Amino acid sequence: MTETPVYRRLAGDLRALIERGEFAPGFMLPSEPKIAERFGVRRGPVRQALALLAREGVIEVLPGQGRRVVPAERREGNAPKKAYRVVMDGIRARLAAGEFGPSDRLPSEADLIEEFGMSRNTVRRAYQELAYEGVVVVLHGRGAYPAEQWPLDEE
């Protein structure tokens, strides 16, 4: 019988801390040396454990900043859901619920920044993607509106 590799045990321990809320969604994880010290392991297994958790979508790597716990609602299968997709899904859900008529203006970027706690660039990307998909029409300086064909008919 083979023993579980150190990095897999460490990944399980870190996952448990995340699930218990010690490392809450949005929390920046301690540095590799601090994790190594806390768990009494070398940095190599720490690096492998963090890479495994990133592949599973439990944490995300922010270049130059560290690693952050991904909120459960931002997880897509085994990868973190991109922030702009969270905003897109929120807008789509509101459109599908009939919250906006064909000529109603959609929430402003500022309103969505406040609602989702995302950056202006993230909100802007969400609207750009929805416009590209034909879900909304963005009129420069006037806002975003539902596209006339919303909801798209299923064929």
Side-chain angles (χ1 to χ4, degrees), residues 47-62:
R47 206 170 288 119
Q48 289 177 299
L50 294 172
L52 176 61
L53 292 174
R55 282 192 308 272
E56 293 175 352
V58 175
I59 64 172
E60 61 187 346
V61 178
L62 303 174

Side-chain angles (χ1 to χ4, degrees), residues 18-40:
I18 291 168
E19 289 170 4
R20 283 199 317 258
E22 185 171 329
F23 297 144
F27 182 83
M28 294 299 288
L29 291 176
S31 66
E32 289 177 7
K34 289 188 185 220
I35 294 172
E37 181 181 334
R38 177 174 177 174
F39 290 93

Side-chain angles (χ1 to χ4, degrees), residues 5-6 11 13 24 31 33 38 45 54 63 67 75-76 85 107 113 119 122 124 129 135-137 155:
V6 173
D13 292 343
S31 66
R38 177 174 177 174
R67 294 168 180 92
R75 296 181 193 161
E76 259 181 12
R85 290 200 174 277
I113 290 167
S119 72
T122 298
R124 192 166 287 158
E129 293 290 329
V135 175
V136 302
V137 174
E155 293 184 33

Side-chain angles (χ1 to χ4, degrees), residues 67-86:
R67 294 168 180 92
R68 179 173 56 195
V69 176
V70 175
E73 65 272 8
R74 282 202 37 227
R75 296 181 193 161
E76 259 181 12
N78 290 335
K81 190 176 200 180
K82 299 288 185 188
Y84 73 91
R85 290 200 174 277
V86 173

